[in-house]
Structures are given as C-alpha cells and as structure tokens.
Amino acid sequence: MRVADAALQIKVPRNKTVLMQLLQLLVFRRHYWWCGGAISASKLGGLVAKMAIRYPVTRTARGRAYDRTRGLAAIHFIAYPLANGLVAWWLLSDDGKGGLNDPATPDAHVAKNAMAAGGHITFTDYVLHYAHKKSPRHLPDKKTGKEKLVFKDVSTWTWKLSDMAFNETKASIEQAAVNFEYGVEGAHGGRPWGILGILICQRSRPLFSGVRNQVIDLHRHADSHWGRVKKKWQGQHSAECSRHDSNAGELRTVKEIMSHHLPKMVRIAVYGDTPKTVGDLVRNA
C-alpha cells in the first residue's frame, strides 16, 4: 500500500471528549512537540499525504516502540471534523531523530512545545496545560491505626477552559443576575436559559479535572451574584414561590453539584467499532 493511501486509513476519534483524552495522553507520554491548525476537508487528503511522506505517521504501536530503540521519534497525526467543512489536525512528536524537535525536519521551524507558556495545545474553548492539584489519599494513621484522608500535591496534564471562555461565562452569569434571569435548566426538551441554563451547560462540558474545578468555581460565582438579587426576584414572583414551596429562585448548592452532578472523568474508548478514517472525511468533503 502506498504511504499516502495508508495515511487515509488513520482513524478519527469518535467524539470531542475522546479526542481531548487522546491529545492529553500523548502529551503525558512526552509528545510535547506539535504543530497543527484547521484545514478544509477538501484539502485534507493532500495534507495527510504530505505528512505521511515526511513522517512515520502510519507506524503501528509496535513499530513506534522499535523506532524508539533506534533513537527515532514517534509521531502521530490526528484529525477531527469541525463545522463548516473544516477539519482540525495535529501532528505530535516526542524527542528523537526525525521528530519535530529535530532541526533537520521540514516543520521544526513551526513546531511548538506544549510545556511552554506560549505553546499550549488548544481546542475550541479549551487549553491543555500542566497543572498542580491536591489529590486525596487514604493512609493509615500511625497513632490510631485507622485510615485518614490526606491530600498530596501532584502534577498532571489536564484540560481547562481558556481564560476568554471562563471570563465570558462569568460575565454572562453576572449579566443574568442583573437582569433577574433565573431561567430554567431546559428539562424535557425545553431550551435552557438564564442562570440555571448557563450553569447546566457548564456541567455538560467534558469534565477533565481542570474543567471540573472551573465549573465548580462558576457555580460559586453564580451563587454569589444571584444571592444579591434573589430576595428581590422572589418578591417579584411571590405567586410562583408559593406554588413551589418557596424553592423557586434557589440555585443548587455547590455541595449538591459536586456530589451528584459532576461525575469524575473516566477513560473512554477512542474509536468506535467501525471507526471513521481520514479517508472518510476526505470523501465526505
């Protein structure tokens, strides 16, 4: 099979969340060097063919492992369809000969380092970064012999909302409070709106640890700003409040949100049983 034809068989992640998990995993495995962008699906075939000629993007996992023993870089090409006929793409490489950190390669001059402040991988509203956090551990207490909960400082790769997306969401919460827009969560097919609608949309985001922490902060932000106008809103909607046993105008507590509405992220299979390929994206352009 020709290299260009083999490149068209590269699998496409099944959804946005697993795409983000895949990028996170590769960077965790020291594929720090990357380049990428967005391209028309009609031009994707030419791009992937060019990359397959330049780099070993069609290698199997076993082949990449063998390449590393020879000092060669392992390189991955990832594509994901966007709206309006565009396709997002990334080329990720670890260190080694022929990788994006090798000055002799054709794209070394445009490669970025995901560890650098100006080189983070981004996707839509999200940024992949190296974060420090507290991780819970259950350890035996030497004095009592019982288990105790301690929090250990750990560092890991995670996604977070970009500063722009986070600040814009905070501003929309503040504006909804100023306008007394309590809103609805949009159950039973209804359209979510107001503060309730903003918050439930945040809870539907891919809940990587960084995003999850920000969503909790947004709920705290909403609680603070809505708390300033809640009594006035309830006064204007006294009949509705009485029908709902005075719960109208109340937000879910942060404790309830953390316990029941923000499940921890789990590993999801990247590809479906019959995965789409880069070739499918090209043919459907």
Side-chain angles (χ1 to χ4, degrees):
M1 183 183 295
R2 294 190 310 138
V3 172
D5 293 333
L8 293 176
Q9 302 304 311
I10 293 174
K11 298 176 183 177
V12 174
R14 63 198 299 182
N15 58 44
K16 180 170 74 173
T17 300
V18 296
L19 163 70
M20 294 168 70
Q21 279 192 338
L22 178 58
L23 291 168
Q24 179 190 37
L25 178 63
L26 287 173
V27 174
F28 175 79
R29 292 177 175 171
R30 301 182 182 277
H31 287 69
Y32 299 145
W33 303 97
W34 71 279
C35 61
I39 192 171
S40 168
S42 62
K43 298 180 180 179
L44 178 62
L47 173 67
V48 72
K50 180 173 70 174
M51 292 302 175
I53 292 170
R54 290 180 176 180
Y55 308 104
V57 295
T58 61
R59 294 286 275 170
T60 63
R62 186 173 65 182
R64 291 189 178 100
Y66 175 67
D67 288 345
R68 289 191 185 95
T69 66
R70 301 163 60 210
L72 303 178
I75 307 176
H76 297 258
F77 183 88
I78 301 172
Y80 188 79
L82 303 172
N84 303 320
L86 294 177
V87 176
W89 66 275
W90 295 266
L91 191 71
L92 293 98
S93 161
D94 59 6
D95 285 324
K97 185 177 180 181
L100 293 175
N101 194 31
D102 181 349
T105 59
D107 299 290
H109 66 293
V110 297
K112 299 177 182 179
N113 186 339
M115 290 285 287
H120 295 318
I121 294 175
T122 63
F123 177 61
T124 60
D125 284 346
Y126 305 97
V127 179
L128 183 62
H129 74 131
Y130 195 62
H132 305 281
K133 65 177 184 177
K134 300 286 188 179
S135 179
R137 297 284 193 275
H138 291 277
L139 299 175
D141 189 314
K142 293 181 179 179
K143 293 182 178 180
T144 65
K146 297 180 180 179
E147 279 196 344
K148 64 178 180 180
L149 181 65
V150 298
F151 289 87
K152 182 180 180 181
D153 290 321
V154 297
S155 300
T156 187
W157 287 93
T158 187
W159 289 91
K160 70 170 186 174
L161 287 167
S162 68
D163 290 344
M164 179 179 292
F166 186 67
N167 291 330
E168 286 178 348
T169 305
K170 288 175 67 175
S172 66
I173 288 171
E174 294 165 13
Q175 190 62 52
V178 168
N179 294 339
F180 296 99
E181 295 173 348
Y182 177 59
V184 296
E185 291 185 343
H188 311 298
R191 182 181 69 85
W193 67 279
I195 283 189
L196 291 183
I198 294 170
L199 294 178
I200 198 170
C201 288
Q202 306 317 303
R203 299 198 295 271
S204 68
R205 291 183 179 277
L207 293 175
F208 295 89
S209 61
V211 176
R212 190 176 188 273
N213 290 337
Q214 288 176 302
V215 171
I216 292 170
D217 287 343
L218 289 170
H219 278 78
R220 291 194 176 104
H221 191 71
D223 191 56
S224 172
H225 282 267
W226 184 247
R228 301 172 191 174
V229 302
K230 180 178 67 176
K231 292 296 184 183
K232 187 172 182 179
W233 183 93
Q234 288 174 331
Q236 295 175 350
H237 298 79
S238 55
E240 184 176 348
C241 290
S242 63
R243 289 197 305 271
H244 290 83
D245 300 324
S246 75
N247 286 329
E250 300 286 348
L251 301 181
R252 298 181 189 272
T253 66
V254 173
K255 181 178 180 180
E256 178 190 358
I257 292 298
M258 293 175 65
S259 299
H260 304 293
H261 298 278
L262 292 178
K264 296 290 182 67
M265 178 68 71
V266 297
R267 185 69 62 83
I268 309 170
V270 179
Y271 309 110
D273 294 334
T274 54
K276 288 185 177 180
T277 65
V278 169
D280 292 326
L281 300 183
V282 172
R283 286 187 287 273
N284 293 331

